Short mmCIF file of all heavy atoms in Angstrom, two decimals:
data_model
loop_
_atom_site.label_atom_id
_atom_site.label_comp_id
_atom_site.label_asym_id
_atom_site.label_seq_id
_atom_site.Cartn_x
_atom_site.Cartn_y
_atom_site.Cartn_z
N ASP A 170 -10.95 -18.39 15.94
CA ASP A 170 -9.80 -18.31 16.83
C ASP A 170 -8.77 -17.34 16.21
O ASP A 170 -8.15 -16.55 17.08
CB ASP A 170 -9.16 -19.73 16.85
CG ASP A 170 -9.94 -20.74 17.65
OD1 ASP A 170 -10.77 -20.31 18.49
OD2 ASP A 170 -9.90 -21.91 17.32
N ILE A 171 -8.55 -17.34 14.96
CA ILE A 171 -7.51 -16.44 14.38
C ILE A 171 -8.11 -14.98 14.41
O ILE A 171 -7.38 -14.05 14.64
CB ILE A 171 -7.36 -16.90 12.99
CG1 ILE A 171 -6.65 -18.27 12.74
CG2 ILE A 171 -6.36 -15.82 12.15
CD1 ILE A 171 -6.58 -18.88 11.39
N GLN A 172 -9.36 -14.84 14.23
CA GLN A 172 -9.94 -13.50 14.22
C GLN A 172 -9.82 -12.81 15.57
O GLN A 172 -9.64 -11.66 15.61
CB GLN A 172 -11.49 -13.50 13.79
CG GLN A 172 -12.07 -12.37 13.34
CD GLN A 172 -13.44 -12.52 12.69
OE1 GLN A 172 -14.22 -13.39 13.01
NE2 GLN A 172 -13.75 -11.67 11.72
N THR A 173 -9.82 -13.50 16.70
CA THR A 173 -9.71 -13.01 17.99
C THR A 173 -8.20 -12.42 18.19
O THR A 173 -7.88 -11.64 19.07
CB THR A 173 -10.01 -13.98 19.15
OG1 THR A 173 -9.06 -15.10 18.87
CG2 THR A 173 -11.46 -14.36 19.07
N LYS A 174 -7.25 -12.97 17.35
CA LYS A 174 -5.87 -12.53 17.55
C LYS A 174 -5.42 -11.51 16.50
O LYS A 174 -4.29 -11.03 16.52
CB LYS A 174 -4.99 -13.77 17.48
CG LYS A 174 -5.19 -14.71 18.73
CD LYS A 174 -4.36 -16.03 18.65
CE LYS A 174 -4.70 -16.89 19.82
NZ LYS A 174 -3.64 -18.05 19.85
N VAL A 175 -6.21 -11.55 15.29
CA VAL A 175 -5.76 -10.59 14.16
C VAL A 175 -6.95 -9.72 13.88
O VAL A 175 -7.92 -10.20 13.38
CB VAL A 175 -5.45 -11.49 12.93
CG1 VAL A 175 -5.05 -10.59 11.87
CG2 VAL A 175 -4.41 -12.58 13.21
N PRO A 176 -6.80 -8.46 14.27
CA PRO A 176 -7.97 -7.59 14.18
C PRO A 176 -8.25 -6.96 12.77
O PRO A 176 -8.12 -5.73 12.62
CB PRO A 176 -7.53 -6.43 15.18
CG PRO A 176 -6.06 -6.45 15.05
CD PRO A 176 -5.55 -7.81 14.79
N LEU A 177 -8.49 -7.80 11.88
CA LEU A 177 -8.81 -7.39 10.51
C LEU A 177 -10.33 -7.62 10.32
O LEU A 177 -11.01 -8.41 10.80
CB LEU A 177 -7.99 -8.13 9.53
CG LEU A 177 -6.56 -8.06 9.56
CD1 LEU A 177 -5.81 -8.89 8.51
CD2 LEU A 177 -6.02 -6.56 9.39
N GLU A 178 -10.81 -6.84 9.23
CA GLU A 178 -12.26 -7.12 8.80
C GLU A 178 -12.22 -8.50 8.19
O GLU A 178 -11.28 -8.94 7.65
CB GLU A 178 -12.55 -6.07 7.68
CG GLU A 178 -12.71 -4.59 8.27
CD GLU A 178 -13.17 -3.66 7.17
OE1 GLU A 178 -13.15 -4.02 5.95
OE2 GLU A 178 -13.48 -2.55 7.59
N GLU A 179 -13.39 -9.06 8.24
CA GLU A 179 -13.48 -10.46 7.77
C GLU A 179 -13.08 -10.74 6.30
O GLU A 179 -12.29 -11.80 6.09
CB GLU A 179 -15.07 -10.93 7.94
CG GLU A 179 -15.23 -12.35 7.59
CD GLU A 179 -16.65 -12.81 7.86
OE1 GLU A 179 -17.12 -12.77 8.97
OE2 GLU A 179 -17.28 -13.19 6.76
N SER A 180 -13.43 -9.87 5.41
CA SER A 180 -13.02 -10.02 4.04
C SER A 180 -11.43 -9.95 3.84
O SER A 180 -10.81 -10.83 3.14
CB SER A 180 -13.61 -9.08 3.08
OG SER A 180 -13.31 -7.70 3.55
N GLU A 181 -10.78 -9.08 4.60
CA GLU A 181 -9.33 -9.02 4.46
C GLU A 181 -8.75 -10.16 5.10
O GLU A 181 -7.54 -10.59 4.71
CB GLU A 181 -8.84 -7.58 5.10
CG GLU A 181 -7.40 -7.42 5.10
CD GLU A 181 -6.65 -7.44 3.76
OE1 GLU A 181 -7.58 -7.23 2.70
OE2 GLU A 181 -5.54 -7.67 3.62
N LEU A 182 -9.24 -10.53 6.33
CA LEU A 182 -8.74 -11.71 6.93
C LEU A 182 -8.75 -12.94 6.10
O LEU A 182 -7.80 -13.80 6.04
CB LEU A 182 -9.34 -11.83 8.32
CG LEU A 182 -8.78 -13.07 9.26
CD1 LEU A 182 -7.29 -12.82 9.45
CD2 LEU A 182 -9.45 -13.09 10.56
N LYS A 183 -9.89 -13.14 5.40
CA LYS A 183 -9.97 -14.32 4.43
C LYS A 183 -8.94 -14.28 3.37
O LYS A 183 -8.28 -15.20 3.15
CB LYS A 183 -11.32 -14.24 3.95
CG LYS A 183 -12.47 -14.77 4.72
CD LYS A 183 -13.78 -14.66 4.00
CE LYS A 183 -14.97 -15.15 4.76
NZ LYS A 183 -16.27 -15.29 4.01
N ARG A 184 -8.78 -13.05 2.81
CA ARG A 184 -7.73 -12.93 1.78
C ARG A 184 -6.31 -13.20 2.32
O ARG A 184 -5.55 -13.95 1.63
CB ARG A 184 -7.67 -11.64 1.15
CG ARG A 184 -8.74 -11.17 0.16
CD ARG A 184 -8.49 -10.03 -0.72
NE ARG A 184 -8.44 -8.85 0.24
CZ ARG A 184 -9.65 -8.08 0.58
NH1 ARG A 184 -10.84 -8.46 0.04
NH2 ARG A 184 -9.64 -7.19 1.34
N THR A 185 -6.05 -12.79 3.62
CA THR A 185 -4.69 -13.05 4.15
C THR A 185 -4.47 -14.54 4.36
O THR A 185 -3.41 -15.09 4.10
CB THR A 185 -4.66 -12.26 5.43
OG1 THR A 185 -4.86 -10.86 5.15
CG2 THR A 185 -3.19 -12.43 6.03
N ILE A 186 -5.48 -15.20 4.90
CA ILE A 186 -5.39 -16.66 5.15
C ILE A 186 -5.21 -17.44 3.90
O ILE A 186 -4.47 -18.34 3.78
CB ILE A 186 -6.55 -17.16 6.08
CG1 ILE A 186 -6.57 -16.50 7.44
CG2 ILE A 186 -6.45 -18.65 6.25
CD1 ILE A 186 -7.80 -16.82 8.21
N ILE A 187 -6.01 -17.07 2.88
CA ILE A 187 -5.96 -17.79 1.62
C ILE A 187 -4.61 -17.77 1.05
O ILE A 187 -4.16 -18.67 0.39
CB ILE A 187 -7.13 -17.27 0.62
CG1 ILE A 187 -8.43 -17.76 1.04
CG2 ILE A 187 -6.91 -17.74 -0.80
CD1 ILE A 187 -9.60 -17.06 0.41
#
Side-chain angles (χ1 to χ4, degrees):
D170 290 334
I171 297 175
Q172 200 169 29
T173 58
K174 298 180 180 181
V175 183
L177 298 178
E178 290 182 352
E179 183 176 299
S180 59
E181 178 60 19
L182 183 55
K183 282 183 177 180
R184 280 194 297 274
T185 303
I186 296 174
I187 288 173

